[in-house]
Amino acid sequence: MSEVIKDIGGKESIRILVLSKYARNGASSRYRTYQYLPFFEQLDIEVKVMPLFDESYIDQLYNSGKVSRVEYFRAFLRRISSLVTVYHYDVVLIEYEVFPYFPALFERLLSWTGIKYLVDYDDALFHQYDMHPSWLVRRLLGNKIATVMKLSEVVIAGNGYLMDYAKLAGSKRVEVIPTVVDLDNYPLTVNNKRHNSKFTIGWIGSPTTARYLQLICPALREFCEASGSHVRIVGSGEIELPGVDIEIVEWSEEDEIEMLHTFDVGIMPLPNEYWARGKCGFKLIQYMACGLPVIASPVGVNSDIVEHGVNGFLAKTTEEWVAALNALLSDSLLRQNMGEAGRSKVERQYSLQVTAPHLAGILSSVA
């Protein structure tokens, strides 16, 4: 990495403005933007992050399920004040879009006035508009993200599904950078030192994605009842899985990795839907970084991350989920071998140590 730093660092005082969607407590912004900041500092790249929504937005959304109108108004003013400063920077990096549910007016203005901007996607945000239940939203905003992509200097896509959409939109340049982990935060010293009294199936995420656990409730119920196992769920908020022994744990950034290391297997069920195909499989990457075997639905990028029978299992049906869980329950050596294979894949493809130089190079080339 030191050679990359030397090469990129040849240009002086690159100034980047990041218009993130969330503050650090928003998972997508934390992993797509904030975790890269220390690396950029090493390159003497000046980065200013100006989120649309601050910490209180996420707190309100996850604690009550509602966000006040005052919070939205504050977010609007915050973003407007950010846009006023764009001329002080060499390039602007936008997470998703300038304003949600608003035409691409501001992205057009940036382009027309010569401001170079890049856009970053780790979700199929375009389906929020082109598949919206309201015909009016589909009519007015159905092609919005395609326009934003086409006007940008570079589209940074979290997976191949998003890359394909960007290319069809006519983007000038598309680069794939998956959502990754910083391996310095995932030490191997605690691997394989789990002392659970029960075999523990683990899931981590947010209340908005916890509903996918309902898809495999029958499999979890059958397996847990037969084996005496239980499911540890981190970050879901209140959730019911009838007949399944569950433990709900509140998420915190400080305890996240320690909690992951208490799992015996990490799971990621997904429906085979357009929106889900745009997911970046980050749960799987976190599990694998901890040396865990994984089980996932073969949807979207999951099928690229999980090598069936090598670092985990891909499962569609209830029978396949139960069979995969039974195989891991009965064979500790299989769990260890799959965990080691998963960790190795993260080190090669899904780590900050690999993607940070790539992202820095993209920003430098545009600036």
Side-chain angles (χ1 to χ4, degrees), residues 278-347:
K279 294 291 182 184
C280 287
F282 184 63
K283 293 177 181 62
L284 297 174
I285 293 164
Q286 284 188 290
Y287 302 147
M288 290 159 56
C290 292
L292 291 171
V294 298
I295 308 174
S297 303
V299 175
V301 77
N302 284 8
S303 298
D304 297 324
I305 297 173
V306 181
E307 299 172 60
H308 185 74
V310 178
N311 57 20
F313 294 107
L314 294 168
K316 290 182 180 179
T317 65
T318 294
E319 292 75 20
E320 289 175 349
W321 275 92
V322 172
L325 288 166
N326 277 320
L328 292 171
L329 170 67
S330 62
D331 193 338
S332 61
L333 182 59
L334 178 64
R335 297 199 300 270
Q336 179 179 334
N337 289 340
M338 284 187 164
E340 290 174 354
R343 169 71 184 205
S344 179
K345 186 164 188 173
V346 170
E347 290 174 351

Side-chain angles (χ1 to χ4, degrees), residues 61-63 65 203 205-212 234-239:
L61 183 63
Y62 288 168
N63 291 333
W203 180 93
S206 69
T208 57
T209 56
R211 67 184 186 275
Y212 297 142
V234 181
S236 68
E238 290 299 319
I239 183 173

Side-chain angles (χ1 to χ4, degrees), residues 2-283:
S2 60
E3 293 181 0
V4 177
I5 291 174
K6 183 178 179 181
D7 291 342
I8 298 173
K11 182 172 181 176
E12 295 182 1
S13 62
I14 298 174
R15 294 165 298 170
I16 310 293
L17 174 63
V18 180
L19 299 179
S20 67
K21 184 169 185 178
Y22 304 113
R24 186 178 176 86
N25 64 340
S28 59
S29 295
R30 182 168 64 256
Y31 288 106
R32 298 295 291 185
T33 293
Y34 287 93
Q35 73 167 339
Y36 285 89
L37 299 184
F39 178 82
F40 291 151
E41 289 177 4
Q42 296 180 55
L43 301 179
D44 198 27
I45 296 177
E46 178 187 340
V47 181
K48 177 69 173 179
V49 183
M50 304 186 77
L52 174 64
F53 298 114
D54 64 11
E55 289 84 355
S56 62
Y57 173 89
I58 293 292
D59 291 341
Q60 289 183 37
L61 183 63
Y62 288 168
N63 291 333
S64 67
K66 298 179 181 179
V67 178
S68 68
R69 293 182 179 178
V70 172
E71 186 62 42
Y72 284 115
F73 181 67
R74 289 176 59 234
F76 175 79
L77 294 180
R78 191 181 302 114
R79 181 50 51 93
I80 290 295
S81 66
S82 301
L83 290 170
V84 173
T85 71
V86 295
Y87 293 101
H88 300 305
Y89 298 89
D90 298 305
V91 65
V92 179
L93 174 59
I94 302 170
E95 287 183 11
Y96 305 141
E97 56 195 336
V98 174
F99 284 109
Y101 286 97
F102 196 86
L105 171 63
F106 291 95
E107 290 87 354
R108 290 183 186 277
L109 286 173
L110 290 175
S111 178
W112 291 339
T113 54
I115 301 297
K116 298 177 181 179
Y117 79 84
L118 304 83
V119 281
D120 180 39
Y121 296 93
D122 66 346
D123 254 327
L125 185 73
F126 36 88
H127 291 323
Q128 177 176 286
Y129 300 127
D130 62 21
M131 294 186 177
H132 196 278
S134 169
W135 69 268
L136 184 60
V137 172
R138 295 196 302 272
R139 177 70 181 272
L140 295 178
L141 301 175
N143 293 318
K144 175 192 175 178
I145 300 304
T147 300
V148 173
M149 289 178 166
K150 186 175 182 179
L151 294 174
S152 70
E153 298 297 318
V154 182
V155 175
I156 300 171
N159 59 47
Y161 185 77
L162 305 177
M163 175 192 69
D164 290 343
Y165 184 90
K167 288 182 175 180
L168 286 173
S171 302
K172 304 183 186 80
R173 176 182 171 190
V174 185
E175 299 282 349
V176 175
I177 297 183
T179 306
V180 300
V181 297
D182 183 350
L183 287 176
D184 290 341
N185 296 329
Y186 287 76
L188 284 171
T189 54
V190 294
N191 281 4
N192 303 317
K193 292 186 179 180
R194 302 172 185 91
H195 301 287
N196 297 318
S197 59
K198 294 181 177 181
F199 184 79
T200 301
I201 305 162
W203 180 93
I204 189 169
S206 69
T208 57
T209 56
R211 67 184 186 275
Y212 297 142
L213 287 168
Q214 303 288 348
L215 299 171
I216 60 168
C217 184
L220 294 175
R221 181 170 56 244
E222 179 180 336
F223 174 76
C224 290
E225 287 180 349
S227 66
S229 303
H230 83 306
V231 182
R232 182 167 290 147
I233 304 172
V234 181
S236 68
E238 290 299 319
I239 183 173
E240 292 186 5
L241 297 174
V244 181
D245 179 8
I246 64 173
E247 174 192 1
I248 299 175
V249 180
E250 184 177 350
W251 176 89
S252 74
E253 186 174 358
E254 295 76 17
D255 300 331
E256 178 180 48
I257 297 170
E258 180 181 353
M259 187 56 59
L260 287 169
H261 279 295
T262 69
F263 300 168
D264 288 299
V265 56
I267 61 172
M268 186 175 177
L270 280 178
N272 191 12
E273 299 173 351
Y274 286 110
W275 180 264
R277 292 170 197 165
K279 294 291 182 184
C280 287
F282 184 63
K283 293 177 181 62

